Amino acid sequence: MDGSAILHEQFLDPTQADCAFRELHDSNRWESHDIIVFGQKHREPRLSTWHADDGVRYTYSNLERIPVPWTPVLLRLRAQCEEVSGASFNSVLVNLYRDGNDGVGWHADDERENGPQPVIASLSLGASRRFDFQHRSLKRVESVQLNAGDLVVMSGLSQSHWVHRIAKTKRQVGPRINLTFRKVIG
Ligand SMILES: O=C(O)CCC(=O)C(=O)O
Ligand SMILES: [Mn+2]
């Protein structure tokens, strides 16, 4: 891949992944938001929260996210992701895909606030879902199954040359949480 996406399978062992999932699932104050895609307003098909250091702002799909405070579990996961990636992160978007009707369409994390070649650490908890990448010009698609505890670290040109998605699925799937740690610039 021109741009890099490195998969660390079972970055969290099953017990750690399960604890983090349950803690976030039960105690996070999940928010539901409207986004604007191709000029049309939609309810985002997932719940989420945005956590950031002081003064960090982030807007995607015309939605400006208001940060809520970090929690101990999020700070612990941030430190672990910083250690393995060698990057530093000032924010995390936490997403809850309640079932197969939730997903996120083709997009790249290429908003100005992410900077030109962002390092993004994406940690999966809960149910397994398929993560697809599509090359913007070659249209080639590559897919990987993300299981609880798996970490994908995207860097380099991965956001400028590729888009990615979590497709909705008719399969019976339980809830999945994904955390994308980012370094947002003001
Ligand atoms: O849920 C995932 O694995 C990806 C989420 C994502 O791409 C995003 O929130 O920008
Ligand atoms: Mn993304």
Side-chain angles (χ1 to χ4, degrees):
M1 157 178 284
D2 48 353
S4 144
I6 296 172
L7 172 64
H8 300 264
E9 281 179 87
Q10 295 226 331
F11 173 67
L12 299 183
D13 68 38
T15 311
Q16 288 176 313
D18 191 49
C19 282
F21 175 82
R22 274 187 290 115
E23 196 166 339
L24 286 166
H25 186 264
D26 297 347
S27 61
N28 218 13
R29 292 165 171 265
W30 296 105
E31 302 166 12
S32 180
H33 288 283
D34 287 333
I35 51 173
I36 296 181
V37 181
F38 299 121
Q40 296 243 21
K41 192 156 109 173
H42 300 275
R43 180 62 34 140
E44 206 176 18
R46 56 182 186 176
L47 304 181
S48 60
T49 52
W50 165 250
H51 309 256
D53 294 347
D54 284 348
V56 175
R57 311 189 87 82
Y58 190 47
T59 300
Y60 64 90
S61 304
N62 225 43
L63 169 65
E64 183 182 346
R65 297 304 304 246
I66 309 298
V68 298
W70 290 93
T71 61
V73 61
L74 292 175
L75 290 170
R76 201 163 63 236
L77 295 173
R78 170 166 74 167
Q80 287 176 273
C81 290
E82 286 183 332
E83 196 180 342
V84 69
S85 65
S88 66
F89 304 114
N90 61 10
S91 52
V92 64
L93 180 64
V94 185
N95 293 302
L96 172 63
Y97 303 86
R98 293 158 288 189
D99 57 28
N101 294 315
D102 280 354
V104 61
W106 289 117
H107 72 282
D109 301 330
D110 58 353
E111 292 81 13
R112 187 193 55 79
E113 295 96 317
N114 288 305
Q117 293 199 14
V119 179
I120 295 176
S122 172
L123 178 64
S124 293
L125 302 170
S128 302
R129 295 286 293 262
R130 197 187 74 233
F131 188 50
D132 301 322
F133 283 100
Q134 185 177 45
H135 194 277
R136 288 185 197 259
S137 52
L138 304 175
K139 301 294 174 202
R140 190 174 86 234
V141 175
E142 294 189 13
S143 301
V144 62
Q145 178 90 355
L146 294 180
N147 301 313
D150 289 351
L151 178 73
V152 179
V153 180
M154 295 178 276
S155 61
L157 296 171
S158 51
Q159 304 304 327
S160 38
H161 287 193
W162 297 77
V163 289
H164 54 263
R165 73 169 178 184
I166 298 283
K168 295 182 182 188
T169 173
K170 297 246 180 292
R171 270 191 317 118
Q172 284 291 325
V173 287
R176 167 179 184 263
I177 292 175
N178 172 263
L179 302 94
T180 49
F181 291 92
R182 301 149 188 257
K183 182 162 194 168
V184 167
I185 50 182

